[in-house]
Amino acid sequence: MIHPKIESLDELFALMVNRGQTLYGGETVSQLEHALQSALAAERDGANAALITAALLHDIGHIVAEQNDDDVARGLNDCHEALAAQVLAGLFADDVRQPILLHVAAKRYLCATQPAYYDTLSVTSRQSLALQGGPMSLAEAERFSNRAYATEALALRRYDDMAKTPNLVTPALEHYRAIAATVLKA
């Protein structure tokens, strides 16, 4: 299914508020809590505005696809990373969209190149990894490491992994909207 591009920050942030209250695919936080925690992790890491925005929006594809809490357990892969890159194309350039597009590949890469990384994944992330192709082969990992935005995608993957803490206090969504506004396409 082709989804229309999101054309304004108003539309994007309304979508996050209105649909982001559902649980994040088998985790103990909502989609919105996960987004805010990811952005907070990026901000605390000193990431630039584009990567903070990517961290905030990396799972918007789940919201657009209307992911249910049990989709992963039922074996459904919504290809949220590609969907997010597609629907955000009207608002953001590659410095935001490419790390989002590659964050699932980054998980596969880390599982292939750092075997202990798999043990740090939540149960749901392990289940989705299987749906997403499992750990990369050595050839895939080499290709991934040479891609533009691979470094940013790996950082985003780590922020994603840190963003599953119930009741974590984060800045409000408006704080990150202001950051996102600074990296909008001209």
Side-chain angles (χ1 to χ4, degrees), residues 91-145:
L91 293 177
F92 300 104
D94 282 349
D95 59 347
V96 172
R97 291 177 30 253
Q98 286 299 309
I100 292 171
L101 182 62
L102 296 173
H103 82 278
V104 168
K107 176 171 66 170
R108 296 181 61 225
Y109 173 86
L110 288 168
C111 286
T113 61
Q114 300 174 18
Y117 173 76
Y118 178 85
D119 295 331
T120 70
L121 294 175
S122 69
V123 171
T124 302
S125 283
R126 290 176 189 178
Q127 291 171 335
S128 66
L129 173 67
L131 297 173
Q132 295 159 340
M136 288 182 172
S137 69
L138 293 177
E140 287 173 317
E142 185 174 337
R143 279 194 305 277
F144 174 83
S145 68

Side-chain angles (χ1 to χ4, degrees), residues 45-185:
D45 192 41
N48 64 27
L51 191 51
I52 292 169
T53 301
L56 179 72
L57 302 175
H58 75 279
D59 281 341
I60 194 72
H62 285 316
I63 293 173
V64 171
E66 298 181 359
Q67 178 191 54
N68 291 310
D69 188 41
D70 64 347
D71 282 359
V72 172
R74 292 182 336 175
L76 300 175
N77 180 5
D78 60 11
C79 300
H80 71 285
E81 68 282 11
L83 180 54
Q86 174 193 333
V87 300
L88 295 174
L91 293 177
F92 300 104
D94 282 349
D95 59 347
V96 172
R97 291 177 30 253
Q98 286 299 309
I100 292 171
L101 182 62
L102 296 173
H103 82 278
V104 168
K107 176 171 66 170
R108 296 181 61 225
Y109 173 86
L110 288 168
C111 286
T113 61
Q114 300 174 18
Y117 173 76
Y118 178 85
D119 295 331
T120 70
L121 294 175
S122 69
V123 171
T124 302
S125 283
R126 290 176 189 178
Q127 291 171 335
S128 66
L129 173 67
L131 297 173
Q132 295 159 340
M136 288 182 172
S137 69
L138 293 177
E140 287 173 317
E142 185 174 337
R143 279 194 305 277
F144 174 83
S145 68
N146 291 319
R147 289 194 65 168
Y149 299 101
T151 300
E152 293 84 351
L154 290 166
L156 175 54
R157 181 72 236 165
R158 299 289 191 181
Y159 306 146
D160 182 343
D161 293 334
M162 292 187 259
K164 299 172 184 177
T165 305
N167 304 313
L168 182 70
V169 176
T170 65
L173 184 58
E174 285 303 311
H175 171 76
Y176 294 110
R177 180 188 173 121
I179 293 171
T182 69
V183 294
L184 285 171
K185 277 184 176 178

